[in-house]
Amino acid sequence: MNWTLQNAIILAAVCLLVGIAGGWMLGGLQSPSATGRAQNAAVPAEQASGAAPQMSGAQRTQRMADSQAAPMIEKLKATPGDPALLTTIGNIYYDAKLYAIAIDYYGHVLKQKPADVSVRTDMGTAYWYMGNADTAIDEFNKALTYEPTSPNTLFNRGLVKWNGKNDAAGALADWDKLLKANPNYEGKDNVLKMIAEVKQQKSAKP
């Protein structure tokens, strides 16, 4: 077969294209760990592409709460067990709806200050939001041994009795006690509405 210059150029071009295609195919099938063996691990796709890894809403919430709590946690190194700092950190996680973490910090506060009604009430409420009505009520009961007419504790205990234990009578008793002991309670209108609703439900039952 006689080769002309044009034939040679065409053949060279075909070989070049085949070589490029073959190299791409081999590269695409190559294991990431083979190219990154020196690192002893494959690089995540997000990291390899330079894109930020995706985070869930819960992860973003916790990251924000962790960032907000970080300065307080750093201060704890200088004053370990400081009840005020522990309470503030617990409140940060409570507001972020990270109730298990909040309960942990509140627990540390109450070991030092068992009569802190506000913290114990918040801890009881956190248990309620986690679906544990019985433990919530236990904490409210303990808080009320220190301050029997605490309005927020009575309000929350009544709410949990009503919604968590189906104890309408218990809820009405707590809210009645709340209003009698705290006639200027800021949530009075809301309490009166709930009392009316519970009474209506009771009267509607056969």
Side-chain angles (χ1 to χ4, degrees):
M1 184 176 185
N2 294 326
W3 292 91
T4 65
L5 178 60
Q6 184 177 5
N7 294 139
I9 292 172
I10 292 172
L11 179 61
V14 170
C15 290
L16 179 61
L17 289 172
V18 171
I20 292 172
W24 177 84
M25 290 174 68
L26 289 173
L29 292 173
Q30 191 175 43
S31 168
S33 60
T35 57
R37 209 178 293 277
Q39 298 177 355
N40 199 31
V43 178
E46 296 89 346
Q47 183 178 337
S49 66
Q54 295 295 317
M55 289 192 299
S56 67
Q59 288 174 321
R60 285 193 294 271
T61 298
Q62 175 141 6
R63 177 171 288 190
M64 291 175 63
D66 288 342
S67 177
Q68 190 177 355
M72 309 298 171
I73 294 173
E74 184 65 25
K75 288 181 180 180
L76 276 177
K77 294 178 181 179
T79 55
D82 184 315
L85 284 174
L86 290 168
T87 300
T88 300
I89 297 168
N91 290 342
I92 289 171
Y93 286 107
Y94 180 98
D95 291 341
K97 297 181 172 60
L98 297 167
Y99 298 116
I101 302 176
I103 286 169
D104 183 58
Y105 280 101
Y106 290 153
H108 287 298
V109 175
L110 294 172
K111 285 179 181 178
Q112 303 176 64
K113 300 173 63 180
D116 192 321
V117 172
S118 178
V119 170
R120 195 174 291 281
T121 298
D122 285 344
M123 186 161 79
T125 307
Y127 274 118
W128 161 241
Y129 283 133
M130 290 181 69
N132 194 334
D134 289 332
T135 304
I137 290 174
D138 285 344
E139 292 301 330
F140 297 145
N141 290 343
K142 291 175 186 175
L144 291 168
T145 63
Y146 298 107
E147 189 178 333
T149 60
S150 167
N152 290 336
T153 311
L154 288 169
F155 176 89
N156 288 334
R157 190 175 72 171
L159 197 62
V160 175
K161 283 181 178 180
W162 180 26
N163 290 323
K165 304 299 291 182
N166 199 27
D167 180 6
L172 290 173
D174 278 345
W175 294 334
D176 183 61
K177 182 177 181 179
L178 184 166
L179 294 179
K180 285 181 178 177
N182 306 274
N184 297 318
Y185 179 58
E186 60 182 0
K188 180 178 180 178
D189 290 343
N190 190 33
V191 175
L192 290 172
K193 288 179 182 178
M194 291 194 301
I195 289 173
E197 185 176 347
V198 172
K199 288 181 175 179
Q200 184 178 8
Q201 287 183 0
K202 286 184 66 178
S203 63
K205 289 182 179 180

